Amino acid sequence: MFDTRPDREAEVALVGRSNVGKSTLMRELTGHDFDTGGNPGVTREPNHYDWAPEDFVITDLPGFGFMSGVHEERREQIKTNIVHYLEEYAENILVAILVVDGKSVIDIIDRHSGPDEVPYDVEMFHFLRDLGIPTVVAVNKMDKVDDKDERLNELCDRLGLYPPWKQWQEIVAPITAKKGRIEPLNEAVREHLHEQQRDDLFKFF
């Protein structure tokens, strides 16, 4: 199902649970409309936006986690497919962008934290880093958050990054994709691209 990837050497991948605004962010980054529905889980397969001359692709992976109207078995299958995809292409992925909803992410993480449970967002963050993929957490919908610094500090704390968040600006990027406010993300991505000698890709971010 996930075998639609163009044969490109370099990739930036967007990951995140359903309905956090990945497809909106993808549209901001590429200027291209993808099928974004009002319903969570519309993106069931990866959306690839391909720049053949640069041997580069941006990929929006399907949302994981709870989706209303989607059977649990199907949800688990999607998550498994995402994990396999990331493992398979880890060496090609220059940067992963983990998109979270700034308004609800702390509640969601805390609700799913327990002795036997690691919240998806936290698990995905550590999984990406374990694969050696530079990861930026795009904290979306920040226009709906009142105390921004406090929220971002709490998120760092949950991710195992010592607050204050401002010392992690190459990892934590507060954005509002719907309003086109994604500069902190672009800066963080560029920093990782630079480290990998890919300044030629700056024009996309």
Side-chain angles (χ1 to χ4, degrees):
M1 170 179 119
F2 274 26
D3 53 8
T4 55
R5 183 184 186 276
D7 184 19
R8 301 288 170 253
E9 186 58 36
E11 179 171 4
V12 166
L14 276 65
V15 264
R17 58 173 63 246
S18 299
N19 242 18
V20 294
K22 284 197 315 303
S23 301
T24 306
L25 177 56
M26 184 79 165
R27 190 168 61 230
E28 273 301 313
L29 290 170
T30 62
H32 184 81
D33 256 329
F34 291 87
D35 180 20
T36 63
N39 301 323
V42 168
T43 312
R44 297 288 169 84
E45 299 195 10
N47 274 322
H48 302 285
Y49 198 70
D50 185 16
W51 282 279
E54 279 83 7
D55 199 16
F56 172 61
V57 62
I58 294 187
T59 301
D60 175 18
L61 288 164
F64 56 78
F66 177 76
M67 292 169 249
S68 60
V70 179
H71 200 275
E72 186 174 351
E73 204 173 289
R74 174 89 180 107
R75 291 202 304 261
E76 284 304 313
Q77 185 58 55
I78 289 172
K79 191 168 168 230
T80 302
N81 289 346
I82 292 167
V83 164
H84 287 164
Y85 183 96
L86 293 167
E87 286 174 336
E88 185 171 349
Y89 296 110
E91 294 198 354
N92 303 91
I93 299 173
L94 301 175
V95 186
I97 300 171
L98 174 61
V99 187
V100 300
D101 181 334
K103 195 167 184 305
S104 61
V105 64
I106 302 299
D107 291 342
I108 290 171
I109 287 175
D110 289 353
R111 198 181 319 143
H112 293 280
S113 295
D116 308 316
E117 198 174 13
V118 180
Y120 279 158
D121 299 297
V122 175
E123 182 182 38
M124 185 58 75
F125 177 70
H126 291 294
F127 173 66
L128 288 164
R129 288 170 57 123
D130 287 347
L131 288 175
I133 300 173
T135 303
V136 178
V137 182
V139 192
N140 195 20
K141 308 185 187 181
M142 285 302 287
D143 58 324
K144 297 182 177 163
V145 174
D146 293 331
D147 195 332
K148 294 180 171 50
D149 286 337
E150 189 182 324
R151 180 65 46 92
L152 294 166
N153 285 342
E154 286 178 331
L155 179 59
C156 282
D157 181 57
R158 306 304 192 272
L159 294 174
L161 303 171
Y162 198 69
W165 76 273
K166 285 191 172 156
Q167 62 186 334
W168 303 108
Q169 290 187 53
E170 80 288 359
I171 299 176
V172 176
I175 63 167
T176 301
K178 211 172 215 169
K179 298 189 175 173
R181 296 191 206 132
I182 62 168
E183 194 47 41
L185 172 65
N186 287 337
E187 284 174 19
V189 170
R190 281 187 213 126
E191 201 162 313
H192 293 296
L193 293 175
H194 179 67
E195 280 166 13
Q196 298 169 81
Q197 278 101 43
R198 291 307 304 261
D199 292 17
D200 59 307
L201 299 177
F202 278 18
K203 61 186 172 196
F204 300 119
F205 297 96

